[in-house]
Amino acid sequence: MIRINQLKLPIDHTREDLAHKISKELKIPEHNIKKIQIVKQSVDARKKDHILYIYTVDVSADKENQIIKKLKNPQISSAPLNKYCLPEYGSQTLAFPPVIIGDGPAGLFCGLILAREGYCPIILERGEAADVRRKKAEAFWMGEKLDLNSNVQFGEGGAGTFSDGKLNTLVKDPVQRNRKVLELLVEFGADPSVLYVNKPHIGTDVLGNIVSSMRQEIIRLGGEVRFSSQVTDFHIEKGRLTALEINGAEQLNLEAAVLAIGHSARDTFEVLEKRGVPMEQKSFAVGLRIQHPQTMIDISQYGPGNSKILGPASYKVTYQSRGGRGVYSFCMCPGGYVINASSEEGRLAVNGMSYHARDGKNANSAIIVTVTPEDFEGTGPLAGVAFQRKLEAAAFSYGKGKIPIQLYGDFQANKESREFGDIAPEFKGAYTFSNLKEMLPPYIGEAFIEGMEDFGRKIQSFNRKDAILAGVESRTSSPVRIPRNEFYESQIKGLFPCGEGAGYAGGITSAAMDGLRIAEEICRRYRPLK
């Protein structure tokens, strides 16, 4: 096929316009074009009165090599042929099926690949199925008691199930794992456009159905998915993992375990530390969620009226504070909600969530500030966990169990808010006015304000006084890393740290890609069970 880069068209173009443009670029009649495959679609919004789609497309036509040679255009070449492939099976024999601890993106995609290759994996998930945990989360938001094992953080699909379902990643991908992840998501129900749009998303409502369908496929192929099955201990003999304890009672013997716990599995981190599994402190970021009217973001990013074609706009802003800390937006949710994402009693954390339609009134994102081990109290591997817990306990206290909120102008003035401005709040979970500036460490609050003022120069009115803040956003990434060698194995033999909780991913797509990476290593070592 022929690949064409930098193909530019107006945002209101038709499929016929695209074919005509390709015909013009290749200098061939349209009837000679056999197939058009969109590889990438992005938006050039630098000129608000002339916004363009920019495409990369692969085109099938007669005499492709002759066309490329004749044109001598650096933007036109042969389409690359590289495709995702699994390695040849290894020679070792497994006495037990591989076990995957955690059913988030890393564990789920690892399990799906292994199931399709005949390894009959067992996935252990402390939470419940996606539809059940959704009901639990909604009940919690309405005031019922928090379920410590089935909530926004724990359960089928992981924390990403309650998010915007964003699929973009900055991970370099020479072996096409990213493409494979997207193809699998489409296979199980995602819109095919996620294969090529620049910033694809699924939406929390659709994502739950997709992960459930993937689970059913794993089971159909001979795998197991066990819910309400928390790993409570690790049996290690002579430096090798030999068995897992489940729910404090059952023992499951094994030879290979994929440690795909999420970034909030703090009690599991504690067990790992107790059993001598090497872990390290890791930098991460904390901050607050901010809400703006979605129409304000749309006009700033696209100009008036264009969001009707392009959909709700997103943004990404970054700043380096005078003190050297990074301040940046994270997990931006167009047309979304700020949600109570707590998973521990007496502690409160927030996150953002959008449905597929992204039709909420507000845009929200986390504005977060980097923290490093130098900010933590203590030197142990779980000092970052303690740092998070301290902030979350303060958030719970300041909000009296509800989400503590404050207007940005009052945050600057260091006083509790009393009433909303022109922005109507969009929350999942009860909320109350408080003083978030007082709640945060001074160095975080000062860097936050610096960043906000800079962002106000990049996006008009971003630093408006009535922007609604909510805290605390503390679960941006794992506070620990569980080291692994070049074969993705811990110092403890048979244990394969994987995904976001182990410190090797930062979002749905990168976690799923890491799950594929571990599945490849298991295939490389062992024969399938059937």
Side-chain angles (χ1 to χ4, degrees), residues 152-374:
V152 170
Q153 304 296 342
F154 301 135
E156 184 175 36
T161 302
F162 291 91
S163 70
D164 184 52
K166 283 176 285 294
L167 303 176
N168 49 302
T169 178
L170 299 177
V171 175
K172 294 182 180 179
D173 186 34
V175 299
Q176 300 294 302
R177 293 189 186 100
N178 186 4
R179 179 75 183 186
K180 183 63 175 179
V181 167
L182 297 177
E183 288 174 349
L184 288 171
L185 288 168
V186 170
E187 179 184 345
F188 287 97
D191 191 287
S193 65
V194 303
L195 293 170
Y196 59 81
V197 295
N198 187 41
K199 294 181 179 179
H201 93 288
I202 294 178
T204 185
D205 46 341
V206 178
L207 191 56
N209 297 330
I210 290 172
V211 298
S212 297
S213 297
M214 293 175 71
R215 177 235 307 164
Q216 293 164 15
E217 174 75 349
I218 290 169
I219 295 170
R220 185 186 71 81
L221 294 168
E224 294 182 57
V225 180
R226 303 184 188 179
F227 295 119
S228 301
S229 298
Q230 182 178 358
V231 173
T232 48
D233 208 350
F234 297 78
H235 295 278
I236 299 170
E237 298 178 8
K238 298 179 180 180
R240 173 172 286 279
L241 182 66
T242 60
L244 301 172
E245 178 188 272
I246 304 172
N247 295 333
E250 179 188 355
Q251 180 170 306
L252 183 65
N253 295 326
L254 52 78
E255 293 167 277
V258 180
L259 187 66
I261 55 177
H263 56 44
S264 296
R266 295 163 171 172
D267 45 6
T268 308
F269 291 147
E270 291 169 352
V271 175
L272 291 166
E273 182 185 29
K274 182 179 178 181
R275 293 300 173 213
V277 176
M279 293 189 291
E280 303 169 347
Q281 297 179 5
K282 185 175 77 63
S283 298
F284 55 103
V286 298
L288 305 171
R289 278 266 150 190
I290 188 165
Q291 294 186 58
H292 298 98
Q294 182 62 50
T295 53
M296 185 195 97
I297 301 300
D298 292 343
I299 291 171
S300 175
Q301 300 298 83
Y302 295 151
N306 289 319
S307 65
K308 294 178 180 179
I309 298 174
L310 296 170
S314 63
Y315 59 80
K316 176 68 177 178
V317 286
T318 63
Y319 173 75
Q320 188 78 7
S321 76
R322 290 189 294 270
R325 294 181 187 272
V327 186
Y328 55 98
S329 60
F330 171 80
C331 187
M332 193 270 154
C333 297
Y337 301 83
V338 175
I339 67 173
N340 189 330
S342 303
S343 63
E344 294 182 329
E345 290 181 345
R347 300 187 179 98
L348 191 145
V350 296
N351 197 3
M353 181 183 84
S354 295
Y355 297 111
H356 179 72
R358 288 177 163 176
D359 54 1
K361 296 189 295 290
N362 291 346
N364 76 73
S365 74
I367 303 299
I368 51 177
V369 179
T370 55
V371 293
T372 68
E374 287 73 27

Side-chain angles (χ1 to χ4, degrees), residues 2-8 21-27 55 64-79:
I2 301 171
R3 174 155 295 182
I4 309 175
N5 292 299
Q6 293 294 308
L7 199 65
K8 299 180 180 181
K21 182 77 171 181
I22 291 169
S23 168
K24 186 176 179 181
E25 290 292 319
L26 297 181
K27 298 181 180 178
Y55 287 98
E64 292 175 358
N65 290 335
Q66 292 181 29
I67 293 171
I68 295 168
K69 187 175 180 180
K70 183 179 179 180
L71 291 172
K72 297 180 180 179
N73 185 336
Q75 300 296 342
I76 298 175
S77 62
S78 294

Side-chain angles (χ1 to χ4, degrees), residues 119 172 243 271 284 427 448 522:
Y119 289 87
K172 294 182 180 179
V271 175
F284 55 103
F427 285 100
F448 183 93
I522 290 174

